[in-house]
């Protein structure tokens, strides 16, 4: 690792409005990359029919894209922890926009797959490098709350992708991809007007030194990697993603489950796609309550250094029975088959109040998502608490790599499981049984968070001492 105390002091950059604009751009971009991720699953049936391939091959596209994005994120994050982060974010955003546009113009399955993989490479930059930037804006006392908005923007992006894909793509699956391409190009231009956020500017230990104009010039090097992986908290935070994301990855099939239920009740594919997308969107609104998980994590963390990890552990374990209920509660779907998208959406929304089974399913889903959403903000905040600024993007990307492997496994293997279960459970029951089985991966996830709670006090204290000693040198 190298450091420098020389050179001219840089200005912190931007007035309050400029800083707010920059934060908004970063948060919106965190949501847009998840719009791209959520766009494909509601359209599995339509795209598979267009290319004359089985639906499971579309599930494979999503699974491989998760993995490619996660691998690419490690490279993006490492260079982001060593260099200027703003150009990397612009390049990454441009790449995923081009890949998304290519997906909408693809004439066959191999071309569609190649375009999706290109988009995945660009998506790797937005999450990993963006996370590093945002942590430099947040004080430790409010990390859980602010990171809940960061995570919420990603969840909202997935929901928006599900909804946009189902509504705009019900009659022409290419339209959502082309629309998102235009939005991605506009987002790349928006980066031009953000300011460069300084590393370490949110750390209390560095505040005095940075206020005098000193630069925090520590940068990661390959020699730091054993130190990064030597922190026990990092190891548990990284490994939990393998099982957590196997469960979360399977949930991208939620629109398919409800679309299959609609088709089982006699509705056409176009109507079923809209029904599945709207139901899946409604049922994932519990993710909004990640704000509560972030607030609780902040409050408990101020009392004990193991607070955030405990909140995440309890959340994922308590959610399991609610997920199991969600998949098996029968839903009576009553919508006008073949009607316009607006009429179908209104009918689905109305059924929440007029059909008890729909209302019960929505309540169950809200509770399940609310509990598991405590995972996201406290995971983000713990990475920031237990690592110095120049390591955070890399630790996040390593965690995201394992997340990608778990998510790809969950998304891909559950598709295989659905196919295998058809012999014993006819659709849509095979989808319900397969999804329920994959939620059992939350059990080892909760255990690993509990182990992180036991190691986080020492690791957080070590980082604070390190930053204090560096501040004295600066």
């Amino acid at each position: 690792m190298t450091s420098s105390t020389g050179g001219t002091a840089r200005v912190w950059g931007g007035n309050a409005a400029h800083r707010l604009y920059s934060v908004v751009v970063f948060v919106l971009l965190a949501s847009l990359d998840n719009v791209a991720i959520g766009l494909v699953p509601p359209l599995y049936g339509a795209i598979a029919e267009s290319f004359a391939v089985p639906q499971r091959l579309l599930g494979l596209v999503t699974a491989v894209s998760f993995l490619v994005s996660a691998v690419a994120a490690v490279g993006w994050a490492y260079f982001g922890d060593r260099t200027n982060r703003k150009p990397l974010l612009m390049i990454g955003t441009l790449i995923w926009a081009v890949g998304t546009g290519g997906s909408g113009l693809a004439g066959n399955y191999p071309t569609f797959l190649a375009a999706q993989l290109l988009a995945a490479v660009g998506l790797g930059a937005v999450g990993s490098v963006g996370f590093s930037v945002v942590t430099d804006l947040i004080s430790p006392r409010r990390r859980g709350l602010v990171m809940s908005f960061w995570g919420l923007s990603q969840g909202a992006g997935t929901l928006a992708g599900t909804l946009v894909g189902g509504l705009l793509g019900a009659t022409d699956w290419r339209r959502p991809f082309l629309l998102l391409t235009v939005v991605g190009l506009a987002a790349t231009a928006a980066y031009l007007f953000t300011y460069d956020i300084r590393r370490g500017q949110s750390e209390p230990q560095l505040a005095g030194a940075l206020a005098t104009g000193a630069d925090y010039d520590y940068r990661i090097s390959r020699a730091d990697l054993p130190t990064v992986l030597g922190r026990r908290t990092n190891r548990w935070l990284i490994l939990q993603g393998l099982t957590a994301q196997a469960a979360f990855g399977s949930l991208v099939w939620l629109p398919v489950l409800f679309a299959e239920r609609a088709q089982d009740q006699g509705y056409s594919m176009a109507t079923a796609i809209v029904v599945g997308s709207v139901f899946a969107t409604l049922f994932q609104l519990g993710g909004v309550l990640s704000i509560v998980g972030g607030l609780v994590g902040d409050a408990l963390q101020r009392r004990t250094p193991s607070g955030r990890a405990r909140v995440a552990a309890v959340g994922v374990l308590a959610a399991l029975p609610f997920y199991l209920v969600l998949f098996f509660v029968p839903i009576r779907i009553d919508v006008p088959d073949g009607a316009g998208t607006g009429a179908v959406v209104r009918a689905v929304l109305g059924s929440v109040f007029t059909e008890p089974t729909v209302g019960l399913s929505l309540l169950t889903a809200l509770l399940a998502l609310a509990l598991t959403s405590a995972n996201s903000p406290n995971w983000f905040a713990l990475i920031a608490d237990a690592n110095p600024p120049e390591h955070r993007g890399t630790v996040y990307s390593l965690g995201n790599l394992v997340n990608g492997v778990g998510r790809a496994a969950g998304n891909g293997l559950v598709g295989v499981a659905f196919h295998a279960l058809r012999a014993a459970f006819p659709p849509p029951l095979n989808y319900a049984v397969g999804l329920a089985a994959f939620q059992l991966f939350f059990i080892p996830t909760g255990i690993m968070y509990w182990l992180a709670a036991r190691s986080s006090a020492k690791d957080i204290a070590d980082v604070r001492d390190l930053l204090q000693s560096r501040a004295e040198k600066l």
Side-chain angles (χ1 to χ4, degrees), residues 215-235:
D215 285 331
Y216 184 84
D217 282 344
Y218 289 84
R219 298 292 182 267
I220 195 170
S221 69
R222 282 177 291 182
D224 293 335
L225 296 180
T227 301
V228 168
L229 296 176
R231 295 189 187 101
R232 291 174 59 197
T233 304
N234 283 348
R235 293 202 297 268

Side-chain angles (χ1 to χ4, degrees), residues 121-145:
V121 171
L123 288 174
V126 179
S128 59
V129 181
F131 171 80
S132 173
V133 173
V134 171
T135 58
D136 284 327
L137 285 168
I138 309 165
S139 70
R141 288 178 59 85
R142 290 290 178 263
R143 275 186 181 140
L145 174 61

Side-chain angles (χ1 to χ4, degrees), residues 38-39 42 157-169 274 277-279 281 345:
L39 208 58
T158 302
L159 288 179
T162 300
L163 196 58
V164 169
L167 299 186
L168 288 184
V274 176
S277 296
V278 176
F279 269 128
T281 302
V345 172

Side-chain angles (χ1 to χ4, degrees), residues 205 209 467-474:
Q205 294 82 9
L467 294 179
Q468 186 62 52
S469 67
R470 288 177 175 176
E472 293 170 1
K473 292 178 182 179
L474 291 176

Side-chain angles (χ1 to χ4, degrees), residues 47 78 206 219 280 288 290 296 307 357 379 383 397 448:
I47 299 173
Y78 183 77
L206 299 174
R219 298 292 182 267
V288 173
S290 65
V296 174
T357 59
W379 185 75
I383 289 176
S397 69
M448 282 186 272

